[in-house]
Amino acid sequence: MLCIRRHIPLSPLRQTSSPINWKSLRFLATFKPAEPLTIRDINQHTVEAKYAVRGKIPIIADGLQDLIHNNPESHGLPFSKIVNANIGNPQQLEQRPLTWYRQVLSILQYPDVLKSNHNYPKDVVTRAETILKSIGSVGAYSHSQGAQLFRKSIADFIAKRDGYPANPSNLFLTSGASTAVSYLLQILSADENSGFLIPIPQYPLYTATIALNNAKPIGYYLDEHNHWSTNPEEIRELIEKNKANGVNIKALVVINPGNPTGSILSPQDMIELIDIAAEYGLVLIADEVYQENIFKGKFVSFKRILSELLESEPETYKNVQLASLHSTSKGVSGECGQRGGYMELVGFKPEVKDIVFKLASINLCSVVSGQALMELMINPPKEGDESYELYKKETGSIHNDLETRADLLYHAFLEMEDIKCNKPMGAMYIFPTLEFSPEKYHKLFSRAKNSDLQIDDIYCIELLEHTGICCVPGNGFGQKEGTFHLRTTFLPPGKEWIDRWTDFHKAFVNKYKD
Amino acid sequence: MLCIRRHIPLSPLRQTSSPINWKSLRFLATFKPAEPLTIRDINQHTVEAKYAVRGKIPIIADGLQDLIHNNPESHGLPFSKIVNANIGNPQQLEQRPLTWYRQVLSILQYPDVLKSNHNYPKDVVTRAETILKSIGSVGAYSHSQGAQLFRKSIADFIAKRDGYPANPSNLFLTSGASTAVSYLLQILSADENSGFLIPIPQYPLYTATIALNNAKPIGYYLDEHNHWSTNPEEIRELIEKNKANGVNIKALVVINPGNPTGSILSPQDMIELIDIAAEYGLVLIADEVYQENIFKGKFVSFKRILSELLESEPETYKNVQLASLHSTSKGVSGECGQRGGYMELVGFKPEVKDIVFKLASINLCSVVSGQALMELMINPPKEGDESYELYKKETGSIHNDLETRADLLYHAFLEMEDIKCNKPMGAMYIFPTLEFSPEKYHKLFSRAKNSDLQIDDIYCIELLEHTGICCVPGNGFGQKEGTFHLRTTFLPPGKEWIDRWTDFHKAFVNKYKD
């Protein structure tokens, strides 16, 4: 039968576009077709991985958004748009991109624009020309680690930030920080007994990626009552306990400034964490993507503290393996869609760094315009440059907006009955506690009992359904047994959405309070 | 000791930037520091994965490039630049980007450019405005599958290309085709007995990704003596044989037009492959990134043939699961660094598609400017549009250049002693055979025997060392036992590099021929 099917009168080169009349074939396939794959037939780790930031509730929100979009007049909802407070996506929430970034990027995309009259500032043109001279075109693959020029520039930025040198050959340009996390966790997941210490609450990218690699997440709690600080004794106990159970912990993940907590670690907490990494040979994964989002004082990086410790106690710290992550998606940049980021590896054996290089090579390279954006972010206009004043004005006002919005929302939460939260020190999020007790909120708890929903799920779903505000239940990030939180960004502009939230909260409390 | 270290006089909010004087600490760490990780401590699948396109020989080439760059006058090499024929990277090899793409992208990056006088064509401005109206900013995260507007537009392109409709909800925008391959292979790798049928020779992204997922590559040979066509009987035998050995084959990978072979499958070969997918319930992964790179006739997609088969024999083909991949990196676009691509999923159960969606969500979204580029590529200016003539002229000349260069190189190979190769029909590569026999090239084979190098390794290394031309040995793609090939792109401009290759080849043959 097959041999007859192979006699269809088409030469190997006759690539016609007019439909081929299969019906003219007298012989048809006789085999019994197989069934399509079900989720039971595929990689169960991909089935089990969870990612709340774009999970259950954001998916409901997408549905409501479509409903509004398709029935602008007749959607029947008590609100006319979704407020996406579930994800740190500033430019979706009306934050304007920085002129400096976008002017240079527009020239990189279309250098011929300089051949006609244009009114780009001198320093914009010079920077674009410098970049193009070095990389040729943003349309060409770069070196797997990222273009040499950008890595040199990032190394200078780190040296200036920390007061200690950085080596361009230790730098990997990545698509946001997510790619860096995925490389590191994949490489460190030696087998199903490989464990990763992650903060609770955490950014769910970590639990999701750990699940994909069939490794073990080991949660260490941040102390909500002490600015979400870390407890080294607890972490040491976790390491020993897991070792005893045959779990081989590979890395200690730290998110500073904190996501979802919005808190900042003290230098002494950071020293303790470095000590733990040094003593147990753990890779310290420092997720520092919010390093620009600090309201008071200046950012202190793990690289700087490690460098200072190395200076005073080289023998103790010479083997510490630090991976520090940065991104163009956060800060005052907020260029999430441009997918820029970098990772600095310190103290890794070259043979292990070669494996990171190989993974980067398999993906060819990170988007080159995103690499350029990282350069523009860490090497901005200097005083005296034509773009400087505007850059300063724009970054200043974004920084102020963020602080003002954080403050507005924080004070609104303070006013809400049975909600407690820490004053946000940085990042883009607040992670308030819903202090709903089974005694006082009996109706709420019995509703939860009769559904597969948790208390914080119910709160976030009703918040979405009544106000269009989309945030994420604390259980998506991890929280102490019997406590309930939610994560919201403070990015949405204006006070109107906060007032709606306040009204909703009153109604919710009245509805469920006994 | 630790408790004393925790008494360093710094308040949680004192984030000073002046160096902290650790030497003033009277108590130092007393623990014994652990050793750093070696490659024995990490994920062995990441250690074993191989990726020749950026492997051994390209890494030597990078070293030589640096040598030339750092010693322009005194590098002492017989050539002054590396010709990167190891990777399809047109814009690194002087191919100019299309004006249409870059003009729209430059406006997307800096919309304010339209506020000043500019001379962008009308249709460029209109397209940019349409895109911005729909997505807001290229700096915002898009929907995990890619922006709605782009998916609708791609669906129209597919419908027009194939004569059969496509559903935007089946489309996923990706960072080039590599991300799509990594999602699919990760999801389909249920356990270490999951197998993937891949062509030999293949693009090493497949073997590398299969290794990373601890699955089994099952190579089926392409018939070099018949335009690298496929042999369905051999594939069926492989499936049965592996089934008997407990290997559960999940997918059949087809690269058409072929990489590294530069060949094109006949519709009847494609029918046979679809039959196999239908009969055994395999996902058909159709890597069609070179669909624009065809010298004769018109591209026929697997989606179109499957659609026509479905029309005539719905019961037989209704369960066929097809994943078709496309990219902005190849074609006449060659925008490798912009990382645009898409994947269309047909016939997948929704529950499985949801898992693909989740993986895409964990990565947040593919770069939005790359998504826009995909839209510009599949929805170009139409006759009558202001940009049309220039677009037609530029694409036409790139297409002709590619064909001319392919032809030049092909004829050069025909002239070379003991080299055979098929006439390239498409893609960007030629995969000639080095017909060196142990009898005639005794010296060469004994040299290989006394090293860990294979015949094709030796040829490519000496080619690089004598001419600066970097290509990839056939063993990086897979080849029949006892045969030796190399893959080279035909992208480098001019004839001078080909003449150098010809001279090198003569010398190589004389050196090793007995």
Side-chain angles (χ1 to χ4, degrees), chain B residues 271-442:
Chain B
I271 296 167
E272 305 276 13
L273 296 168
I274 292 173
D275 282 352
I276 291 170
E279 182 170 357
Y280 295 97
L282 310 182
V283 172
L284 180 58
I285 299 178
D287 181 337
E288 298 177 320
V289 299
Y290 296 97
Q291 60 187 266
E292 275 188 6
N293 299 98
I294 292 187
F295 299 143
K296 273 205 201 67
K298 228 168 155 275
F299 171 69
V300 176
S301 72
F302 271 98
K303 171 80 181 300
R304 176 187 154 203
I305 293 198
L306 174 59
S307 304
E308 292 180 348
L309 288 169
L310 269 165
E311 218 169 39
S312 60
E313 302 166 60
E315 281 315 302
T316 308
Y317 295 102
K318 64 170 196 267
N319 292 342
V320 173
Q321 301 153 97
L322 170 67
S324 162
L325 317 184
H326 200 1
S327 162
T328 58
S329 302
K330 311 303 172 187
V332 293
S333 159
E335 294 275 16
C336 303
Q338 309 252 23
R339 315 307 289 124
Y342 79 78
M343 147 169 83
E344 183 186 16
L345 299 182
V346 182
F348 282 75
K349 274 185 174 288
E351 63 187 36
V352 174
K353 224 172 67 187
D354 289 346
I355 307 301
V356 182
F357 177 82
K358 184 169 57 183
L359 289 196
S361 296
I362 291 171
N363 290 318
L364 296 164
C365 70
S366 68
V367 58
V368 176
S369 52
Q371 295 182 29
L373 180 58
M374 182 47 88
E375 142 79 13
L376 301 174
M377 175 172 147
I378 52 83
N379 186 13
K382 292 171 190 44
E383 199 146 9
D385 295 343
E386 194 175 337
S387 300
Y388 181 73
E389 285 312 320
L390 180 62
Y391 175 80
K392 222 176 118 204
K393 183 165 158 291
E394 290 179 342
T395 50
S397 82
I398 292 172
H399 211 285
N400 294 340
D401 283 352
L402 288 174
E403 189 157 2
T404 317
R405 292 171 188 182
D407 210 54
L408 268 175
L409 187 59
Y410 169 62
H411 284 97
F413 283 136
L414 291 186
E415 297 301 312
M416 293 184 196
E417 182 175 356
D418 296 327
I419 281 206
K420 275 222 173 67
C421 78
N422 282 310
K423 188 168 177 28
M425 300 193 240
M428 296 180 167
Y429 312 102
I430 303 186
F431 196 68
T433 318
L434 306 169
E435 297 216 312
F436 299 148
S437 66
E439 301 69 29
K440 186 168 170 188
Y441 290 85
H442 181 264

Side-chain angles (χ1 to χ4, degrees), chain B residues 106-361:
Chain B
S106 66
I107 298 173
L108 295 182
Q109 287 290 0
Y110 185 53
D112 286 357
V113 76
L114 298 179
K115 290 184 182 157
S116 59
N117 1 350
H118 62 80
N119 30 31
Y120 287 109
K122 239 191 240 61
D123 56 332
V124 164
V125 174
T126 317
R127 181 66 62 89
E129 286 173 339
T130 311
I131 291 172
L132 287 169
K133 190 164 176 300
S134 169
I135 66 168
S137 165
V138 291
Y141 289 126
S142 73
H143 183 281
S144 304
Q145 281 180 252
Q148 188 57 251
L149 173 74
F150 302 143
R151 285 185 285 134
K152 282 201 176 113
S153 186
I154 293 167
D156 296 342
F157 155 76
I158 295 170
K160 196 152 160 287
R161 181 194 68 190
D162 297 338
Y164 294 88
N167 183 342
S169 73
N170 290 339
L171 295 170
F172 290 76
L173 277 296
T174 56
S175 299
S178 307
T179 313
V181 171
S182 125
Y183 289 159
L184 290 167
L185 268 52
Q186 181 172 24
I187 286 171
L188 294 173
S189 297
D191 57 38
E192 65 282 4
N193 290 321
S194 301
F196 293 90
L197 282 158
I198 54 170
I200 299 296
Q202 55 112 25
Y203 174 48
L205 168 68
Y206 291 98
T207 38
T209 312
I210 291 166
L212 291 176
N213 287 288
N214 190 24
K216 292 193 166 48
I218 317 285
Y220 63 88
Y221 286 109
L222 302 176
D223 180 0
E224 182 166 12
H225 305 298
N226 182 18
H227 298 285
W228 297 105
S229 61
T230 50
N231 176 347
E233 273 70 18
E234 185 207 346
I235 296 174
R236 284 194 153 75
E237 281 159 21
L238 277 170
I239 295 171
E240 298 297 349
K241 198 178 104 232
N242 280 279
K243 223 193 242 162
N245 299 335
V247 176
N248 186 351
I249 296 182
K250 296 289 188 177
L252 167 58
V253 174
V254 185
I255 310 174
N256 184 49
N259 175 7
T261 62
S263 65
I264 297 171
L265 288 175
S266 70
Q268 52 267 53
D269 279 356
M270 295 165 75
I271 296 167
E272 305 276 13
L273 296 168
I274 292 173
D275 282 352
I276 291 170
E279 182 170 357
Y280 295 97
L282 310 182
V283 172
L284 180 58
I285 299 178
D287 181 337
E288 298 177 320
V289 299
Y290 296 97
Q291 60 187 266
E292 275 188 6
N293 299 98
I294 292 187
F295 299 143
K296 273 205 201 67
K298 228 168 155 275
F299 171 69
V300 176
S301 72
F302 271 98
K303 171 80 181 300
R304 176 187 154 203
I305 293 198
L306 174 59
S307 304
E308 292 180 348
L309 288 169
L310 269 165
E311 218 169 39
S312 60
E313 302 166 60
E315 281 315 302
T316 308
Y317 295 102
K318 64 170 196 267
N319 292 342
V320 173
Q321 301 153 97
L322 170 67
S324 162
L325 317 184
H326 200 1
S327 162
T328 58
S329 302
K330 311 303 172 187
V332 293
S333 159
E335 294 275 16
C336 303
Q338 309 252 23
R339 315 307 289 124
Y342 79 78
M343 147 169 83
E344 183 186 16
L345 299 182
V346 182
F348 282 75
K349 274 185 174 288
E351 63 187 36
V352 174
K353 224 172 67 187
D354 289 346
I355 307 301
V356 182
F357 177 82
K358 184 169 57 183
L359 289 196
S361 296

Side-chain angles (χ1 to χ4, degrees), chain A residues 44 50 85 176 201-202 208 254 386 416 420 462 489-490 494 512-513:
Chain A
Q44 291 307 296
K50 287 186 181 41
Q202 54 112 23
V254 184
E386 193 175 338
M416 293 184 197
K420 276 223 173 66
E462 294 199 11
T489 71
F490 43 71
Y512 287 111
K513 198 167 55 172

Side-chain angles (χ1 to χ4, degrees), chain A residues 56 447-458 461:
Chain A
K56 191 161 49 186
R447 180 176 161 202
K449 213 158 153 203
N450 306 329
S451 72
D452 64 344
L453 296 172
Q454 304 185 40
I455 300 299
D456 43 355
D457 292 324
I458 296 173
I461 290 170

Side-chain angles (χ1 to χ4, degrees), chain A residues 14-31:
Chain A
R14 176 156 170 263
Q15 300 276 351
T16 168
S17 64
S18 61
I20 300 160
N21 177 9
W22 306 116
K23 301 215 175 48
S24 72
L25 301 173
R26 288 187 25 257
F27 300 85
L28 299 178
T30 55
F31 56 81

Side-chain angles (χ1 to χ4, degrees), chain A residues 87-108:
Chain A
I87 184 164
N89 193 7
Q91 294 188 27
Q92 179 194 39
L93 297 165
E94 300 169 28
Q95 180 177 308
R96 283 178 51 79
L98 297 173
T99 305
W100 155 253
Y101 293 171
R102 297 306 197 93
Q103 285 182 324
V104 178
L105 288 173
S106 66
I107 298 174
L108 295 182

Side-chain angles (χ1 to χ4, degrees), chain A residues 41-70:
Chain A
D41 305 315
I42 65 176
N43 180 341
Q44 291 307 296
H45 310 305
T46 64
V47 175
E48 285 146 18
K50 287 186 181 41
Y51 187 64
V53 172
R54 288 196 169 187
K56 191 161 49 186
I57 288 168
I59 287 169
I60 301 174
D62 286 347
L64 296 176
Q65 188 62 73
D66 293 345
L67 180 69
I68 294 169
H69 181 266
N70 302 330

Side-chain angles (χ1 to χ4, degrees), chain A residues 2 5-6 8 10 12-13 15-20 22 28-29 31 33-34 36-39 41-43 46-47 49 51 54 88-89 91 96 102-103 105-106 108-110 112 116 119 137-142 144 186-190 205 208 233 236 250 264-268 271-272 275 278-279 281 283 298 300 304 308 312-313 315-317 319 321 330 334-339 349 351-352 355 358-359 361-365 367-368 425, chain B residues 2 5-6 8 10 12-13 15-20 22 28-29 31 33-34 36-39 41-43 46-47 49 51 54 88-89 91 96 102-103 105-106 108-110 112 116 119 137-144 186-190 208 212 233 236 250 264-268 271-272 275 278-279 281 283 298 300 304 308 312-313 315-317 319 321 330 334-339 349 351-352 355 358 361-365 367-368 425:
Chain A
L2 280 169
R5 284 172 67 79
R6 213 175 308 105
I8 291 154
L10 286 167
L13 278 181
Q15 300 276 351
T16 168
S17 64
S18 61
I20 300 160
W22 306 116
L28 299 178
F31 56 81
L37 297 170
T38 72
I39 51 170
D41 305 315
I42 65 176
N43 180 341
T46 64
V47 175
Y51 187 64
R54 288 196 169 187
N89 193 7
Q91 294 188 27
R96 283 178 51 79
R102 297 306 197 93
Q103 285 182 324
L105 288 173
S106 66
L108 295 182
Q109 286 291 0
Y110 185 53
D112 286 358
S116 60
N119 29 33
S137 165
V138 292
Y141 289 126
S142 73
S144 303
Q186 182 173 23
I187 286 171
L188 295 173
S189 296
L205 168 67
E233 274 69 18
R236 285 194 152 77
K250 296 290 187 176
I264 296 171
L265 288 175
S266 70
Q268 54 266 54
I271 295 167
E272 305 277 13
D275 282 352
E279 181 170 358
V283 172
K298 231 167 153 277
V300 176
R304 176 187 154 202
E308 293 181 348
S312 60
E313 302 167 59
E315 280 315 303
T316 309
Y317 296 102
N319 292 342
Q321 301 154 95
K330 311 304 172 186
E335 295 274 15
C336 304
Q338 308 253 24
R339 316 307 290 123
K349 274 186 174 289
E351 63 187 36
V352 174
I355 306 300
K358 184 168 58 183
L359 288 196
S361 296
I362 291 171
N363 290 318
L364 295 164
C365 70
V367 58
V368 176
M425 300 193 239
Chain B
L2 279 169
R5 286 172 67 79
R6 212 176 308 103
I8 292 154
L10 286 166
L13 278 181
Q15 300 278 349
T16 168
S17 65
S18 61
I20 301 160
W22 306 116
L28 299 179
F31 56 81
L37 297 169
T38 72
I39 52 171
D41 306 315
I42 65 176
N43 180 340
T46 63
V47 175
Y51 186 64
R54 288 196 167 187
N89 193 7
Q91 294 188 28
R96 281 178 52 79
R102 296 307 197 91
Q103 285 182 326
L105 288 172
S106 66
L108 295 182
Q109 287 290 0
Y110 185 53
D112 286 357
S116 59
N119 30 31
S137 165
V138 291
Y141 289 126
S142 73
H143 183 281
S144 304
Q186 181 172 24
I187 286 171
L188 294 173
S189 297
L212 291 176
E233 273 70 18
R236 284 194 153 75
K250 296 289 188 177
I264 297 171
L265 288 175
S266 70
Q268 52 267 53
I271 296 167
E272 305 276 13
D275 282 352
E279 182 170 357
V283 172
K298 228 168 155 275
V300 176
R304 176 187 154 203
E308 292 180 348
S312 60
E313 302 166 60
E315 281 315 302
T316 308
Y317 295 102
N319 292 342
Q321 301 153 97
K330 311 303 172 187
E335 294 275 16
C336 303
Q338 309 252 23
R339 315 307 289 124
K349 274 185 174 288
E351 63 187 36
V352 174
I355 307 301
K358 184 169 57 183
S361 296
I362 291 171
N363 290 318
L364 296 164
C365 70
V367 58
V368 176
M425 300 193 240

